[in-house]
Amino acid sequence: MEMTLRWYGTNYDTVKLWQIRQIPGVHGVITTLYNKQAGELWEQSEIQALKKDVEAEGLKIAGIESVNVSDAIKAATADRDEHIDNYIKTLENLGKEDIHMVCYNFMPVFDWTRTELARKRADGSTVLAYTQEAVDAIDPEKMFESLAGDTNGSVMPGWEPERMAHVKELFEIYKDVDEDKLFENIVYFLKAIMPVCNKYDIKMAIHPDDPAWSVFGLPRIINNEKNILKLMKAVDDVHNGVTFCSGSYGTSLENDLPHMIRALEGRIHFAHVRNLKFISPTNFEESAHLSSDGTFDMYEIVKALYETGFDGPIRPDHGRMIWGEVAMPGYGLYDRALGATYINGLWEAIEKTNQENRP
């Protein structure tokens, strides 16, 4: 595996590349052109400029998160094919720049949903959190407004103000899109882009829905083992793969995370590793990565990745805000650096144990 950290770019991230470079074992970043809207073409010159910034600090781009899929593609509106054409050209430009992994999602309207961005824990740290009761009590058009005060001045991915200003219109275009139709639309999209993915060896890694159930009545289809295996079978190409996010699949306590990893052997191209602490099945908060701080056995998750031969980029996912840091919620430096070191330690221990047990 290749340990990385997510980085949003020079003009958008409080974390600096030179700081990332000093985290032991981290040699690459997962990044994006954060100023690009879904459906827009990424020019090769823009990708080259991004690479230059990263490589100047002794790091590499290990993958892109995300080349966002537009709602026109997800909902199959009149602009779908034009946006897919831009997506194909963007993938071609990434391939020409030797970038071979793209994380994306197919969630309608909201790329992820939390009801708190700064829930205070007993130790004084703050974390992202979710309660179904809060979602049930709020008008979806006011969702962003309810969280805006806790963003620390950051533009949250998938919650850009210009996008949230059109929430009502976004809901309207999905009014006739159920789970079956959404699945048809993602298969249409994947089949259209597979030729360029094969040409440039670009591995598409779909991110699971977060949380793993319907929010505001919107369809969810990438949320459990049955559904993700269905998608892998529908477009049975190794370049159609998965971002295994333990925190997103883990929002449903019905998901057996190590078992899912083993069921997806060979199709996991990217991994997000984080822990959650459940207060109830629909009330959870994000914890430190350490197993004992949350609900999941992180050793078993990392062990399953190791035993299935996972060799792609991996990153610690959302961290706590600790030690007085002010940053994009979930994406500060300190706790993610601790998470990267912890995951690297688990991997080393598992690797050495396996070597010792070989005949």
Side-chain angles (χ1 to χ4, degrees):
M1 62 94 177
E2 178 183 9
M3 183 58 66
T4 66
L5 215 70
R6 191 174 188 181
W7 181 68
Y8 286 94
T10 302
N11 296 323
Y12 302 97
D13 207 318
T14 58
V15 179
K16 309 303 180 186
L17 289 169
W18 64 264
Q19 294 173 313
I20 294 173
R21 186 66 183 88
Q22 292 180 5
I23 303 170
V26 176
H27 304 292
V29 295
I30 302 295
T31 188
T32 189
L33 293 178
Y34 203 32
N35 62 315
K36 290 299 220 181
Q37 299 300 308
E40 285 188 313
L41 171 66
W42 291 25
E43 300 289 351
Q44 189 173 354
S45 59
E46 296 173 306
I47 300 166
Q48 288 172 342
L50 181 63
K51 278 188 68 177
K52 184 177 180 181
D53 286 347
V54 172
E55 291 174 356
E57 294 294 341
L59 294 162
K60 61 171 284 191
I61 295 178
I64 297 294
E65 183 181 353
S66 302
V67 180
N68 288 318
V69 180
S70 71
D71 291 289
I73 295 173
K74 294 175 185 177
T77 68
D79 295 330
R80 170 169 68 170
D81 289 336
E82 177 187 346
H83 286 198
I84 289 177
D85 188 53
N86 282 343
Y87 208 101
I88 290 169
K89 291 174 182 174
T90 294
L91 292 176
E92 184 173 26
N93 288 338
L94 288 168
K96 289 176 179 177
E97 292 303 318
D98 200 27
I99 296 171
H100 301 284
M101 192 284 293
V102 172
C103 173
Y104 70 104
N105 76 73
F106 221 77
M107 286 177 267
V109 185
F110 301 112
D111 284 2
W112 52 276
T113 308
R114 292 292 181 272
T115 54
E116 299 168 70
L117 300 182
R119 179 184 288 183
K120 193 168 185 178
R121 305 187 79 208
D123 62 4
S125 64
T126 60
V127 294
L128 306 177
Y130 180 97
T131 58
Q132 188 61 44
E133 294 78 9
V135 169
D136 293 341
I138 197 167
D139 180 340
E141 293 183 43
K142 296 182 179 179
M143 189 72 184
F144 174 77
E145 181 183 323
S146 71
L147 298 172
D150 289 328
T151 63
N152 294 328
S154 301
V155 178
M156 299 297 291
W159 290 75
E160 297 81 5
E162 61 271 23
R163 176 177 169 77
M164 292 299 99
H166 299 285
V167 166
K168 185 175 182 179
E169 294 95 315
L170 288 173
F171 269 87
E172 183 66 20
I173 72 170
Y174 285 102
K175 66 180 182 180
D176 296 321
V177 180
D178 59 12
E179 290 185 356
D180 289 339
K181 182 61 177 175
L182 191 64
F183 187 82
E184 289 177 15
N185 294 345
I186 191 172
V187 170
Y188 182 96
F189 165 70
L190 285 169
K191 286 184 175 179
I193 67 171
M194 280 298 106
V196 73
C197 292
N198 278 281
K199 181 178 179 180
Y200 289 98
D201 190 27
I202 296 174
K203 294 178 177 177
M204 299 297 296
I206 191 165
H207 190 283
D209 301 336
D210 190 357
W213 55 79
S214 176
V215 177
F216 300 123
L218 295 165
R220 293 289 209 228
I221 57 172
I222 309 300
N223 53 5
N224 57 39
E225 182 177 323
K226 177 183 175 182
N227 287 353
I228 190 62
L229 288 175
K230 179 183 175 183
L231 182 62
M232 296 300 101
K233 184 177 180 180
V235 184
D236 195 8
D237 186 309
V238 70
H239 295 96
N240 171 34
V242 176
T243 294
F244 193 87
C245 178
S246 62
S248 296
Y249 280 123
T251 57
S252 172
L253 291 172
E254 295 180 2
N255 286 333
D256 182 334
L257 302 180
H259 184 274
M260 289 181 71
I261 291 169
R262 292 185 169 90
L264 288 162
E265 184 173 351
R267 300 296 278 271
I268 297 176
H269 300 323
F270 183 30
H272 294 177
V273 178
R274 61 181 166 94
N275 208 344
L276 299 176
K277 184 175 180 63
F278 281 83
I279 292 84
S280 77
T282 57
N283 178 357
F284 59 83
E285 61 189 32
E286 299 183 358
S287 66
H289 289 76
L290 192 71
S291 296
S292 60
D293 196 52
T295 298
F296 306 141
D297 187 330
M298 306 307 287
Y299 171 83
E300 289 297 334
I301 290 170
V302 175
K303 182 169 177 276
L305 287 168
Y306 177 87
E307 290 180 349
T308 54
F310 173 73
D311 61 358
I314 189 172
R315 68 171 179 83
D317 207 0
H318 308 160
R320 302 167 299 150
M321 300 307 294
I322 60 173
W323 303 337
E325 186 177 20
V326 178
M328 182 189 295
Y331 286 101
L333 171 66
Y334 305 141
D335 201 45
R336 287 190 299 152
L338 293 176
T341 303
Y342 173 62
I343 297 163
N344 268 332
L346 288 174
W347 191 275
E348 180 181 348
I350 293 163
E351 186 173 51
K352 288 183 175 179
T353 299
N354 274 266
Q355 289 171 350
E356 290 170 359
N357 290 337
R358 287 173 188 162

